[in-house]
């Protein structure tokens, strides 16, 4: 899975659910059971196979199903625990020894643990559980959900992490892998898609059609996919390659609204598949692949043979931006790599899910970069890893590999620690070992555990066995099994470097000390050297004369500190640094500032020097971090004009050198990186420097676009142009944008229109947005609106008060990986010791009572507190730095 929105990922609309007429929500009767498991199920029974027969009419309020589960009874029992959430079970039986025995079904907790009770003891041996049931469709990306697109209804499934239990009774744990036989009964002419190829479609007595699918390879419950509706299903064949002798069927599945934008995913998927097959050294592990779009998915999901994505990820229009293509390449490569690493070999339990996601994150950037090198996708992995350090450096946190004992803890594993840190650590180990040795370890792991389950320790062992280097095991585990960010302080001692490692800490923070085994690579000029640092202090020979770059390639998951003269020497050459090293330099310098060491004036000095770097992300990165200071309120209103002038003086000349014409395709001949650079410079100049000329150019183009001239505004400037209109136009502009957004089924256009209105900075507009009531408003739309209001400095307090007032309703409005554990993140833009205390008092008891999102809540409080400490200590210094420059 690849989560795009990690804060508020699926909130419900403030309006009633716009399902079919006659929808009557059924209240689930939960009977508490003190003996019920809170996490792993007992081993009383083991599933061996599923047969799911679902009736899905996408426009209805509910769906129904018949579920048969072949089980092995491991010890005699009068009751069995399994899973099912909010299911209305009308009949439940067990077939054992040729006898059909009625059983009683009871849901025993809100996470979906259930119990069946038998009138007599079930003996050891084989048996079959049978259930007839119905359940409500959801309207956000959780369980079996449906959405109205245009005038027609569609349904999809999203089961990771523990939402398969909302669609069928089962043993909803990753450690249970079984074959699934799926059939779907629905209206004639509708398309049904699942993990395996469709075997037949037959008309049945009541005028409906039954779609029967082939038996799947062994799968865990969370990787099952069942999608039904009036889809457009385009198909093709991927040619054979050295790893696969036969052609491979593949396809794309879209709503009618997206049917004209399926060309890109159909054209580009074959190459990504072939690159993955080459890396893993074996063919795609399932008989076919479909890639399915949905308008409410804020990320993507690696269902075996049936990946699901948000529409905007895979359905790209002509003239799609570099950023859109980068996201496509990275996310599609990420999800498809899971087909081997996660689907073929699955974690034994949720505490090893990090390995799935961390590895896939690394592979997504790696294969994406190999797929289209000109898009410069690979450097994004480092940016994501450095960003994760700000979460990892908190005292409240978790290691990548964390124990999970309760269902309520599972979704917390899907965060920036797993994706950003985990991917960066994998990259670091791979770089240290060398690509061939690491690849051999990955292949060995897949060969050892194909179509089964594996633990982290088994993966570590495969890597160590292939590399024939036991030390790498210590390095890997030191980063995976403990939280925190290493800090390596480098000081010159003649021709030697003295390296001191410690745990990085924010100003005013005092985390417990830790030691790592750090793969450390340093460069001076063209000379470099690498060492494993496993001591508090290590002395090495300097690799050569010249400025020190203490993180070669930027692949090391650590921060560095330098003496003032060495910082200035490194910054002086910032424009010549490779992209990864430039990102590492910016991250470590800003980390030094946030720890209370580097002066604010050095941040400005680095921003000027780095603006000349040819890489887009490296060039504007310091400016975007300066913008972050403003967003958090660390730049006072009195310094606003000085701040605008500073940003304009740094980035105005760069924008002038690359030019700006916001018309469709005006810069299509430029390299992708130059296109990205222009778009990022426009953001800084329009919204931080508030340059009148840039804003007028964007606004004029956006007004022509809104008036019907589709060629007036290129997709790369769509968000910026609409945002200027929203900021300048007040309530009338906001309502115009919202209406146009809700009337559009184009994912990119809809998101930009709604996002611009939400981020207008106007208090009255913010209240209108938060109170918006419209039947066309979808769960993901609501996410974008709330996040936009909360992420805008002028309206963030309005959003915070609104979420505080509505927290219980929002928390109870949906389930799934894309919502509940991340809800507290809406307060991350608050700043102040007193603000943290207020939020804790107002919300803390409710969060603890709900038991959901507790980790993210505590992280948020620490962020808000740390921001307050930094503001108190550095506000005057920041003001002086702005005035001086």
């Amino acid at each position: 899975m690849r989560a795009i929105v990690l804060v508020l990922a699926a909130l419900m609309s403030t309006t009633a659910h716009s399902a079919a007429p006659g929808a009557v929500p059924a209240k689930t009767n939960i009977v508490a059971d003190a003996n019920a498991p809170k996490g792993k199920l007992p081993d009383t029974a083991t599933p061996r196979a599923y047969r799911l027969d679902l009736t899905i009419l996408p426009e209805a309020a509910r769906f129904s199903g018949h579920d048969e589960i072949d089980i092995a009874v491991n010890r005699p029992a009068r009751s069995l625990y399994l899973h099912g959430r909010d299911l209305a079970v009308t009949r439940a039986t067990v077939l054992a020894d040729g006898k059909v025995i009625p059983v009683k079904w009871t849901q025993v907790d809100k996470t979906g643990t259930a119990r069946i009770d038998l009138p007599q003891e079930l003996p050891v041996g084989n048996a079959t559980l049978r259930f007839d049931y119905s359940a409500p469709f959801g309207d956000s990306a959780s369980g079996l959900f449906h959405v109205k697109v245009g005038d027609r209804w569609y349904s999809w499934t999203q089961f990771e992490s523990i939402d398969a239990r909302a669609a069928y009774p089962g043993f909803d744990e990753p450690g249970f892998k079984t074959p699934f036989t799926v059939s779907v009964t629905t209206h004639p002419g509708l398309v049904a898609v699942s993990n395996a190829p469709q075997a037949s479609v037959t008309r049945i007595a009541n005028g409906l059609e039954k779609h029967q699918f082939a038996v799947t390879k062994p799968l865990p419950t969370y990787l099952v996919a069942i999608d039904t509706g009036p889809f457009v299903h385009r198909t093709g064949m991927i040619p054979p390659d050295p790893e696969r002798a036969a052609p491979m069927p593949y396809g794309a599945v879209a709503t009618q609204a997206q049917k004209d934008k399926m060309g890109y995913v159909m054209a580009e998927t074959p190459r990504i598949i072939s690159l993955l097959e080459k890396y893993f050294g074996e063919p795609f592990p399932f008989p076919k692949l479909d890639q399915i779009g949905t308008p409410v998915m804020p990320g993507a999901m690696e269902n075996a043979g049936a990946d699901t994505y948000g529409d905007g990820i895979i359905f790209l229009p002509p003239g799609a931006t570099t950023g859109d293509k980068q996201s496509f390449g990275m996310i599609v490569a990420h999800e498809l790599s899971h087909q081997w690493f996660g689907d073929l070999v699955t974690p034994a339990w949720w505490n090893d899910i990090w390995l799935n996601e961390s590895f896939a994150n690394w592979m997504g950037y790696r294969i994406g970069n190999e797929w289209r090198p000109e898009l410069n996708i690979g450097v994004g992995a480092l940016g994501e890893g450095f960003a994760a350090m700000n979460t990892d450096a908190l005292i409240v946190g978790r290691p990548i590999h964390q124990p999970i004992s309760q269902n309520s803890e599972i979704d917390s594993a899907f965060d920036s620690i797993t994706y950003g840190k985990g991917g960066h650590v994998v990259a670091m180990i791979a770089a240290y070992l060398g690509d061939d040795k690491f690849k051999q370890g990955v292949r060995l792991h897949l060969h050892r555990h194909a179509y089964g389950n594996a633990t982290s320790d088994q993966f570590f062992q495969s890597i160590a066995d292939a590399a024939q280097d036991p030390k790498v095991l210590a390095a890997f585990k030191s980063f995976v099994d403990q939280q925190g960010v290493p800090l390596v302080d480098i000081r010159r001692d003649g021709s030697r470097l003295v390296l001191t490692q410690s745990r990085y800490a924010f100003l005013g923070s005092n985390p417990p000390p830790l030691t790592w085994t750090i793969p450390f690579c340093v460069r001076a000029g063209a000379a470099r050297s690498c060492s494993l640092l496993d001591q508090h202090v290590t002395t090495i020979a300097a690799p050569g004369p010249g400025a020190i770059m203490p993180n070669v390639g930027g692949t090391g998951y650590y921060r560095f500190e330098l003496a003032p003269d060495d910082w200035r020497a490194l910054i002086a050459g910032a424009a010549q640094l490779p992209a990864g090293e430039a990102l590492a330099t910016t991250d470590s310098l800003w980390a030094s500032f946030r720890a209370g060491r580097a002066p604010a004036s050095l941040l400005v000095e680095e921003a000027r020097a780095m603006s000349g770097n040819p890489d887009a992300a490296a060039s504007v990165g310091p400016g975007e971090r300066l913008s972050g200071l403003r967003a958090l309120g660390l730049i006072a209103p009195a310094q606003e004009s000085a701040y605008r002038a500073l940003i304009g003086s740094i980035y105005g000349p760069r924008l002038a050198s690359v030019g700006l014409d916001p018309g469709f395709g005006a810069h299509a001949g430029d390299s992708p990186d130059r296109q990205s650079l222009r778009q990022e410079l426009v953001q800084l100049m329009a919204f931080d420097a508030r340059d009148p000329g840039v804003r007028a150019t964007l606004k004029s183009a956006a007004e022509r676009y809104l008036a019907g001239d589709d060629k007036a505004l290129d997709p790369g400037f769509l968000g910026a142009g609409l945002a200027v209109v929203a900021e300048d136009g007040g309530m009338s502009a906001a309502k115009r944008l919202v209406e146009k957004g809700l009337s559009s089924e184009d994912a990119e256009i809809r998101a930009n229109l709604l996002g611009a209105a939400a981020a207008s900075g106007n208090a009255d507009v913010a209240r209108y947005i938060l109170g918006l009531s419209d039947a066309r408003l979808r769960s993901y739309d609501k996410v974008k609106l709330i996040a936009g209001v909360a992420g805008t400095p002028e309206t963030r307090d309005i959003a915070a008060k609104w979420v505080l007032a509505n927290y219980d309703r929002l928390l109870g409005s949906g389930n799934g990986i894309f919502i509940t554990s991340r809800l507290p993140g809406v307060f991350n833009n608050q700043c102040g010791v007193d603000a943290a205390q207020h939020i804790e008092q107002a919300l803390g008891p409710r969060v603890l009572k709900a038991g959901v999102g507790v980790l993210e809540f505590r992280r948020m409080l620490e962020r808000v507190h740390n921001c307050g400490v930094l503001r108190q200590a550095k506000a005057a210094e920041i003001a002086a730095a702005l005035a001086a420059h």
Side-chain angles (χ1 to χ4, degrees):
M1 166 169 294
R2 174 71 185 179
I4 303 302
V5 177
L6 294 182
V7 177
L8 296 184
L11 303 181
M12 306 297 287
S13 168
T14 55
T15 64
H17 177 17
S18 56
V24 177
K27 184 177 180 180
T28 302
N29 183 30
I30 298 176
V31 179
D33 178 353
N35 296 318
K38 303 299 183 186
K40 274 189 178 183
L41 296 173
D43 62 357
T44 310
T46 305
R48 298 300 188 197
Y50 287 80
R51 290 175 294 282
L52 296 177
D53 185 5
L54 299 176
T55 297
I56 299 174
L57 308 178
E59 79 285 358
R62 301 176 70 84
F63 61 93
S64 62
H66 175 76
D67 177 12
E68 296 187 358
I69 313 171
D70 295 336
I71 62 172
V73 182
N74 301 319
R75 57 176 184 269
R78 286 287 299 271
S79 64
L80 294 175
Y81 289 106
L82 69 168
H83 297 114
R85 189 176 69 229
D86 301 338
L87 306 178
V89 177
T90 55
R91 187 169 185 263
T93 63
V94 60
L95 173 64
D97 292 334
K99 299 178 181 179
V100 177
I101 306 167
V103 300
K104 181 183 178 183
W105 168 275
T106 307
Q107 184 176 335
V108 297
D109 71 23
K110 64 182 180 180
T111 69
T113 303
R115 188 186 70 238
I116 57 171
D117 298 309
L118 296 90
Q120 61 199 59
E121 189 171 76
L122 188 64
V124 171
N126 296 322
T128 299
L129 304 176
R130 295 173 174 171
F131 304 96
D132 293 308
Y133 65 98
S134 70
F137 284 104
D139 60 3
S140 60
S142 171
L144 206 167
F145 61 97
H146 68 171
V147 177
K148 191 176 185 181
V149 182
D151 60 355
R152 307 191 71 177
W153 286 88
Y154 302 77
S155 74
W156 298 263
T157 56
Q158 167 55 40
F159 290 158
E160 192 176 32
S161 57
I162 56 170
D163 290 327
R165 61 192 64 178
Y168 59 92
F171 295 78
D172 195 15
E173 294 182 4
F176 297 125
K177 293 184 75 171
T178 74
F180 281 78
T181 303
V182 174
S183 60
V184 174
T185 298
T186 190
H187 296 298
L190 295 192
V191 172
V193 180
S194 190
N195 305 89
Q198 183 169 274
S200 65
V201 181
T202 56
R203 188 68 67 97
I204 58 178
N206 57 4
L208 301 178
E209 285 182 343
K210 187 168 190 174
H211 299 251
Q212 183 67 56
F213 297 92
V215 180
T216 71
K217 298 284 188 180
L219 298 177
T221 50
Y222 80 89
L223 289 176
V224 173
I226 306 166
D227 304 327
T228 310
F231 292 108
V232 178
H233 189 185
R234 290 185 58 181
T235 60
M237 299 295 287
I238 301 177
D241 57 30
E243 289 71 38
R244 177 175 34 79
M248 173 187 155
Y250 80 113
V253 180
T255 64
Q256 294 289 330
Q258 306 298 327
K259 65 182 179 181
D260 295 330
K261 293 189 289 185
M262 302 172 73
Y264 197 84
V265 67
M266 289 298 294
E268 300 296 339
T269 295
R271 174 159 168 74
I272 296 176
I273 287 289
S274 295
L275 289 169
L276 287 164
E277 289 178 322
K278 180 180 178 182
Y279 182 87
F280 290 120
E282 57 185 75
F284 191 83
F286 301 99
K288 64 91 179 173
L289 169 67
D290 281 305
Q291 299 196 93
I292 303 133
T294 170
V296 297
M297 187 81 161
M301 179 64 206
E302 68 273 13
N303 308 308
D307 283 3
T308 307
Y309 303 83
D311 280 343
I313 297 172
I314 57 171
F315 300 137
L316 302 191
T321 67
T322 297
D324 289 339
K325 293 176 182 177
Q326 289 172 330
S327 294
F328 173 93
M330 186 273 161
I331 297 171
V332 170
H334 174 116
E335 300 307 329
L336 294 182
S337 74
H338 272 311
Q339 301 291 312
W340 288 264
F341 212 97
D343 297 6
L344 176 65
V345 179
T346 304
W349 177 242
W350 294 111
N351 55 355
D352 287 317
I353 198 66
W354 75 270
L355 187 54
N356 262 19
E357 300 302 338
S358 299
F359 181 86
N361 226 46
W362 175 71
M363 280 294 283
Y365 285 109
R366 176 205 164 92
I367 296 297
N369 208 57
E370 196 173 350
W371 161 67
R372 291 280 298 272
E374 73 278 9
L375 291 176
N376 197 25
I377 292 173
V379 72
L382 303 179
E384 191 173 343
F386 291 130
M389 290 181 182
N390 288 328
T391 296
D392 198 23
L394 299 171
I395 295 175
V396 173
R398 65 174 187 87
I400 302 175
H401 186 203
Q402 65 169 351
I404 291 177
S405 60
Q406 297 189 27
N407 291 328
S408 60
E409 298 170 339
I410 294 170
D411 283 356
S412 67
F414 296 87
D415 64 1
S416 63
I417 298 304
T418 291
Y419 291 94
K421 178 181 181 178
H424 204 139
V425 169
V426 170
M428 177 174 65
I429 299 299
Y432 181 79
L433 283 179
D435 190 66
D436 285 342
K437 284 187 177 181
F438 188 77
K439 185 191 303 179
Q440 290 168 18
V442 170
R443 291 179 174 184
L444 180 61
H445 179 69
L446 296 180
H447 177 74
R448 285 173 171 174
H449 306 289
Y451 298 107
N453 300 86
T455 65
S456 297
D457 284 341
Q458 288 170 318
F459 175 70
F460 294 150
Q461 194 59 57
S462 294
I463 297 297
D465 289 348
Q468 298 183 338
D469 183 357
K471 289 183 178 180
V472 74
L473 215 56
F476 223 150
K477 287 191 171 186
S478 72
F479 281 88
V480 167
D481 290 340
Q482 60 186 9
Q483 75 175 90
V485 180
L487 176 69
V488 181
D489 184 280
I490 299 102
R491 303 290 156 161
R492 295 180 186 270
D493 182 11
S495 62
R496 304 182 69 79
L497 300 178
V498 179
L499 314 174
T500 304
Q501 69 158 293
S502 61
R503 182 176 178 181
Y504 175 79
F506 293 115
L507 183 66
S509 178
N510 188 28
L514 293 170
T515 302
W516 290 262
T517 299
I518 305 171
F520 176 82
C521 292
V522 60
R523 179 176 59 78
R528 58 174 282 176
S529 66
C530 295
S531 311
L532 275 178
L533 309 184
D534 57 1
Q535 302 296 318
H536 176 59
V537 179
T538 304
T539 301
I540 64 171
I548 302 169
M549 163 36 66
N551 191 346
V552 176
T555 57
Y557 187 82
Y558 54 83
R559 285 169 162 165
F560 57 82
E561 186 65 88
L562 296 169
D565 287 346
D566 286 320
W567 268 125
R568 288 190 164 84
L570 182 59
I571 289 170
Q576 288 75 48
L577 288 174
E581 294 178 4
L583 296 183
T585 298
T586 296
D587 175 76
S588 285
L589 178 63
W590 276 78
S592 180
F593 168 74
R594 295 184 66 186
R597 293 186 289 270
S601 59
L602 203 56
L603 305 181
V604 176
E605 185 178 331
E606 194 235 6
R608 287 195 184 280
M610 195 67 79
S611 68
N613 193 287
D615 181 83
S619 176
V620 301
E624 291 172 342
R625 289 179 182 248
L626 289 168
S627 180
L629 292 181
R630 176 184 172 274
L632 288 170
L634 274 75
I635 294 175
Q639 283 85 51
E640 186 74 22
S641 61
Y643 168 74
R644 292 179 183 178
L646 172 67
I647 296 296
S649 70
I650 296 174
Y651 298 106
R654 193 78 198 271
L655 180 57
S657 72
V658 299
L660 171 60
D661 180 344
F664 183 89
H667 300 291
D670 285 355
S671 69
D673 199 63
R674 187 177 177 89
Q675 293 175 23
S676 290
L677 174 63
R678 180 182 293 107
Q679 291 158 21
E680 290 161 359
L681 289 170
V682 163
Q683 289 287 331
L684 286 169
M685 291 302 296
F687 304 107
D688 286 273
R690 310 290 291 187
D691 182 90
V694 173
R695 289 177 66 86
T697 299
L698 290 172
K699 186 176 181 180
S700 174
E703 290 288 6
R704 295 196 307 274
Y705 174 85
L706 290 169
D709 181 0
D710 292 341
K711 302 300 183 183
L713 198 57
D714 189 85
F717 305 108
L718 181 61
L722 295 174
V724 175
V725 170
E727 288 182 353
D728 292 352
M731 185 66 76
S732 62
K735 290 184 175 181
R736 180 185 179 197
L737 295 173
V738 167
E739 175 57 32
K740 196 171 182 68
L742 293 180
S743 299
S744 175
E745 292 296 351
D746 184 293
E748 180 182 29
I749 292 173
R750 186 181 180 110
N752 277 293
L753 286 161
L754 296 178
S760 71
N762 182 297
D764 291 336
V765 170
R767 296 185 184 96
Y768 154 72
I769 291 292
L770 294 172
L772 191 61
S773 177
D774 192 300
R776 297 168 296 172
L777 195 65
R778 297 172 183 153
S779 57
Y780 192 30
D781 297 332
K782 193 66 177 179
V783 172
K784 299 289 289 186
L785 293 174
I786 297 172
V789 176
T792 304
E794 294 81 4
T795 58
R796 65 178 171 220
D797 291 341
I798 295 172
K801 290 176 182 177
W802 185 86
V803 172
L804 282 173
N806 291 275
Y807 191 85
D808 295 335
R809 179 181 62 81
L810 294 171
L811 191 65
S813 63
N815 289 287
I817 192 172
F818 290 124
I819 174 174
T820 49
S821 65
R822 291 162 180 85
L823 185 53
V826 75
F827 300 100
N828 279 334
N829 286 328
Q830 298 289 309
C831 182
V833 175
D834 54 345
Q837 292 172 345
H838 171 69
I839 296 168
E840 183 172 21
Q841 292 169 1
L843 202 55
R846 285 185 276 172
V847 174
L848 294 175
K849 182 180 178 181
V852 178
V854 175
L855 175 60
E856 184 55 37
F857 178 73
R858 289 174 173 163
R859 282 172 168 166
M860 174 272 298
L861 292 177
E862 189 176 345
R863 289 187 187 104
V864 175
H865 178 274
N866 288 346
C867 181
V869 172
L870 184 67
R871 183 167 61 188
Q872 291 170 358
K874 292 285 193 175
E877 186 180 305
I878 293 169
L882 292 174
H885 289 274

